Amino acid sequence: MRCFAPRLRRAVLATTALSMIAIAPSVAAQDAGAPDETASTDMSDGDIIVTARRRDERLVDVPIAVTAISGDALEAAGAIDITDVQARAPNVTLENSRGTNSTLTAFIRGVGQQDPVPGFEAGVGIYLDDVYLNRPQAAVLDIYDVDRVEVLRGPQGTLYGRNTIGGAIKYVTRRLPADFSLKLRASYGSYDQADGILTVSAPVGDMLRVGGSVARLSRGGFGNNVNIPGVENYNKDIWAGRGTVEFGSPDDRFLVRLTGDYTRDKSDPRNGHRLLPSLLTGAPVLGDVYDTRAGLNSPKQDVKAYGFAMNVRAALSDELTLRSISSFRKDTSFTPIDFDALPTVDVDVPAVYRNEQISQEFQLLYESDRLSGLIGFYYLDAKAATAFDVILATTGPLLPAPATLPVSAGFGQLTAGDVRTETWSVFGDFSFDFNDWISLSAGGRFTRDTRESTIFKANRFGGASPQFGGNGANYGAPITDFRGKATFEKFTPRVSLSVKPNQDMMLYASYSKGFKGGGFDPRGSANITPNTDGVAGPPTYQEIYDFFLFEPETVDSYEIGIKGTTFDRALTYALTGFYADYKNVQIPGSVGVDANNDGVYEGFAGVTTNAAAASFKGVEAEVQARFARDFAGAGSNVTFGGTLGYIDAQYDSFNTIIAGSAVDVSDFRAIQNTPKWTAAGTLGVNIPGVGGMIGASTTLSYRSMTHQFETPSPFLDQKGYALLDASIVWTADGDRFSLGLHGRNLTDERYITSGYQFAAGNAITGQPTIFNGNIIPSLGREGVVTAFYGNPRQVFVTGTVKF
C-alpha cells in the first residue's frame, strides 16, 4: 500500500479524528496534537489525514464509516450546540433530553439510551478531547472554541470500549496557535438571543503556550410558563469557559496538554406542552406548543459541570509513541420535572443528579513500513447518584385518597440511588499491509465492568422532600432498601479487510462487536418482586437481586463500504452498507405501583429486562463536490454536500409478561429515535466581493417518522418533516473579520422531539385506551401526555474579529 499512500510521519497526538465528508465547507481533520497550520483549508490542498484508528492515516485508507465537521464549518452554518450535528450525519439522532438544555439523548443506527437516570448506560459514547463522558448530564456541548465534531458510526468496542455499542461522538477543542491570538465572536437574534465568546492565547517562550475562552450564551424563551409569572420556557442562561496550557519540545516529539472546562446553566426548566385537556380541572390545550402550565418550580433549575484533563505524548523512537490521557469530571443537576405540565400537584418530580468520574488511559503506538497499530489500557472509576420524588394528586374522578392520609398530604414516593462503576480494559488494534493494495486489520478489547448499586424507595406524604424545599416525610416501611454488586466481562473483537484499486479509492469489509454494560434497575420496587422459589412470604434478597438485575446487551455488526476522491479531489464520496444483530436488548420500563393494596398508585417502579432482540440493516451515502472553481474570480466556487441514511430497524422478539406468561409482542413494537430515512443537502456558493469573500449556503434536511418509545404513540410519534436553513457570511482579510446572517427552521416547522406518556392501554399492542375522549391514566390523576418540540424559526447575526 505504500506506493499509493505513503505513511505520513507527522509528530502529532494520536487523537481520534474522522471522515471529512461534511455538508459545510470542509477542512482537513486537524489532529488535537498538531499545530493549527497543518490543517488543510481546501479540498485540493492535500490528503485528508484522520486518526479514526488512533493513528495517522489518509481518509481513503480507513475502513470505518465516519463523518467529521470542522469548527469553522459549524460556525459558518450558525450551529448552536452539538445537537446540530444530527442533520449532518446519516442515521444519527442527537437531542436535548426533555427537562433541561444540558442532558443529551444520542442514538446511532438504532442504538442509544434516552433515560438519564444512573443505572442505565449510554449506547453512544460521548468524548470531550478524548475523555469519555460517563453520564448524559451536561453533555449537550455548545459550539465554541471547537476544532471539529466527529461522528463514528457502528460499534467501537475495540478502540473506544464499553457503551460505544452504537458509535461514538467526539468534541475536539482547538489547539493553541504558535503566536498571540485574540478572537471576539458575538451573536444577536430572535428571542433575544445574545451570545458573546472571547478567546485569547499567547506563547510564553518556545515551549509553553497558555490560552482560554469565556462564553456567555443567552436567549429568551420560545414560550412562557403561563402559570408562574417571570418563568420562561425553552430559554437559555449559560456561562462557560475553557482553559488550556501546552508545554512541549520545539520538535513536537514531546507534548503535555492541560485543559479545564466549566459550565453553569441556570436556564428555566424546560417543561412539556400538554396534548390533551386536564382530567381533573378540564383545562384546555394551550394554543402555543412552546407554552406550559407547569406548576413545579422547586428545586430551581441549576446545572454545574466542570472537568480537568492532562494529555501527554512522548515519541520514544521513530516507531514508538507513548500516550497518556488522565481526567477528572464532576457535574450536578437540580431539575423540577412536571410530567403533567399543570398547576395541579400530580406526577411532580423534583430531582437531582450528581456525577463524578476519574479515568486514566495509556496507549503505546507502533508504526513501521507495513505494520502499524497500538496497545492500550483504560481505567474508569465513576459515581452517579440521583434522588427524586414522585408527588401525586390524592383525589380525583378515578380513585379516592388513601383513608389514612389527609387529602392535601401530597402522597407519593421518594427514590434515591447510588451507582458506583469501576471498569478496566486492555485493548489492541493492528493493521498489516500484505502488498500495495491489500490490508488486513484486526483488534480486540477485554473489558471487566463492576457495578455496585444502592436503591432506596419509600412512600412519602407532606409534599416534596426537604432537599427539594419541602416537608415530606417517609410513610411506613421502605418499599426498597437494596444493595447489589455485579461484574460483567466481555471480549469485543474487530476485523476488516481493505482493497485499494488505486491511490484514491478503497473498498472494505469489516466485522465488529459492541458491548453495553448491565446493572440494576434504579427505579426497582422490591414489593412487586415475583415469587420464584415457591415459598410464601416476602421476597428474598436473591429474588430481589435477580428481579432488579439486567444483563449487558451486545451487537454484532457487519459492514461493507467504498470511499474515495476523484476529479483532483473535487468530488469526495462514501457509500456504506451495514447489518447488525442486536441481542439482549435492555428495555427500561415503568409501571404504576400500589404499594399497600389500597387501590391507589403511590408511584412508579422500574421494570427493566433483557426482553428483546433486534436486527438493523441499512445504507449510508455521503458526498461532497466542488464545481465551477474560480467562475467569478479567484477563490470562487459552487459546492454541494449531501448525506442519505436508510435503516430497516425492527425487533425480532420482544417478550412481555401478560397474565403470568411471556408473550412476544415484537409485531407491535418499534425502535425508538430511529427514523427509517434521514437526508440532508447543502448548496453553497463562494464569490469575492465587498473587499473579501461572500459565502452563501442553504440546507434542506429531512427525517421520516420517528417513534419516541418502543411502544408507538398516536400522540407523540412524529411524522416525517423537513427543515430549511440558510446562511450568508462575509469574510475579509483572510478570516480576520466576518459578518454572518443565519436562518434556522425558516419554514417555522413544529415537530416533536420527545415527550412523556402514562396511559393505560392494550397490553399487547400498547395502544392507549380512550374513555370519554381522553386517556385513562396509568400514573396520576390528570393524565400525562406531554410533548417537547424542536426549535422554531430563528434568525440571528454573528460577527467575528481576530487579532
Side-chain angles (χ1 to χ4, degrees), residues 440-494:
L440 178 67
S441 299
R445 188 183 194 108
F446 175 80
T447 301
R448 181 180 173 88
D449 194 17
T450 299
R451 193 69 41 78
E452 187 170 359
S453 295
T454 299
I455 305 169
F456 178 85
K457 180 178 283 190
N459 289 333
R460 309 281 279 177
F461 70 91
S465 299
Q467 64 179 317
F468 302 127
N471 298 307
N474 289 352
Y475 172 69
I479 298 170
T480 302
D481 191 0
F482 172 81
R483 289 171 176 80
K485 185 176 182 179
T487 297
F488 311 99
E489 296 180 348
K490 197 68 179 179
F491 176 72
T492 50
R494 178 182 178 87

Side-chain angles (χ1 to χ4, degrees), residues 175-473:
R175 278 287 312 275
L176 299 180
D179 301 319
F180 174 81
S181 174
L182 176 66
K183 177 181 177 181
L184 297 169
R185 180 174 174 85
S187 303
Y188 184 78
S190 307
Y191 304 98
D192 287 329
Q193 176 186 344
D195 300 335
I197 302 168
L198 171 65
T199 301
V200 62
S201 66
V204 183
D206 294 333
M207 300 180 65
L208 181 66
R209 303 173 188 176
V210 295
S213 297
V214 177
R216 171 59 173 154
L217 310 170
S218 65
R219 186 192 64 233
F222 299 143
N224 293 291
N225 188 322
V226 300
N227 181 58
I228 306 176
V231 175
E232 297 179 300
N233 208 23
Y234 296 88
N235 75 327
K236 193 171 187 177
D237 183 3
I238 293 175
W239 283 94
R242 294 194 183 101
T244 302
V245 176
E246 296 177 357
F247 177 81
S249 60
D251 62 3
D252 205 30
R253 292 177 62 84
F254 172 76
L255 178 67
V256 177
R257 188 173 192 243
L258 303 173
T259 59
D261 65 272
Y262 175 83
T263 299
R264 181 75 179 272
D265 183 353
K266 299 188 71 175
S267 310
D268 291 331
R270 294 173 81 242
N271 279 298
H273 172 78
R274 285 187 63 89
L275 300 182
L276 296 173
S278 160
L279 283 171
L280 288 181
T281 64
V285 174
L286 291 171
D288 189 333
V289 299
Y290 299 105
D291 285 344
T292 185
R293 290 194 181 95
L296 183 66
N297 198 34
S298 180
K300 289 293 184 181
Q301 181 103 335
D302 194 357
V303 179
K304 301 177 186 177
Y306 62 91
F308 306 95
M310 180 173 67
N311 194 315
V312 181
R313 178 192 48 79
L316 305 180
S317 67
D318 288 343
E319 291 80 24
L320 290 174
T321 299
L322 178 65
R323 188 172 178 222
S324 170
I325 306 168
S326 310
S327 77
F328 168 82
R329 298 201 62 81
K330 187 173 183 178
D331 65 80
T332 302
S333 300
F334 284 92
T335 180
I337 308 171
D338 194 325
F339 280 75
D340 71 330
L342 286 169
T344 308
V345 180
D346 190 31
V347 200
D348 283 4
V349 181
V352 61
Y353 303 89
R354 296 183 174 93
N355 305 305
E356 184 177 318
Q357 67 176 76
I358 297 173
S359 64
Q360 175 63 53
E361 184 170 359
F362 295 105
Q363 300 172 8
L364 183 63
L365 294 88
Y366 175 79
E367 184 176 8
S368 66
D369 184 45
R370 291 196 176 274
L371 179 67
S372 59
L374 79 162
I375 57 174
F377 172 82
Y378 177 77
Y379 175 80
L380 171 71
D381 186 347
K383 306 173 185 177
T386 189
F388 59 89
D389 291 324
V390 179
I391 308 170
L392 303 176
T394 55
T395 59
L398 301 179
L399 293 170
T404 55
L405 291 175
V407 169
S408 61
F411 195 58
Q413 286 181 349
L414 164 71
T415 299
D418 181 278
V419 179
R420 306 295 174 98
T421 298
E422 185 177 40
T423 184
W424 61 265
S425 59
V426 291
F427 58 93
D429 186 84
F430 284 86
S431 296
F432 180 76
D433 300 330
F434 292 101
N435 51 40
D436 291 338
W437 58 284
I438 298 179
S439 179
L440 178 67
S441 299
R445 188 183 194 108
F446 175 80
T447 301
R448 181 180 173 88
D449 194 17
T450 299
R451 193 69 41 78
E452 187 170 359
S453 295
T454 299
I455 305 169
F456 178 85
K457 180 178 283 190
N459 289 333
R460 309 281 279 177
F461 70 91
S465 299
Q467 64 179 317
F468 302 127
N471 298 307

Side-chain angles (χ1 to χ4, degrees), residues 4 14 39 62 69 102 123 151 194 232 250 294 320 393 408 456 501 527 549 599 660 663 685 687 710:
F4 288 140
V62 180
I69 308 170
S102 304
V151 181
E232 297 179 300
L320 290 174
S408 61
F456 178 85
N527 63 308
L549 179 69
V663 178
V685 60
I687 58 173
E710 286 80 13

Side-chain angles (χ1 to χ4, degrees), residues 528-543:
I528 64 170
T529 301
N531 184 314
T532 58
D533 61 8
V535 179
T540 65
Y541 172 81
Q542 189 61 49
E543 287 176 324

Side-chain angles (χ1 to χ4, degrees), residues 611-614 650-658 661-669 763-765:
Q650 64 179 18
Y651 283 110
D652 300 319
S653 64
F654 194 117
N655 293 323
T656 189
I657 302 300
I658 300 176
S661 300
V663 178
D664 184 357
V665 296
S666 57
D667 289 342
F668 304 97
R669 298 298 183 265
I764 294 178
T765 67

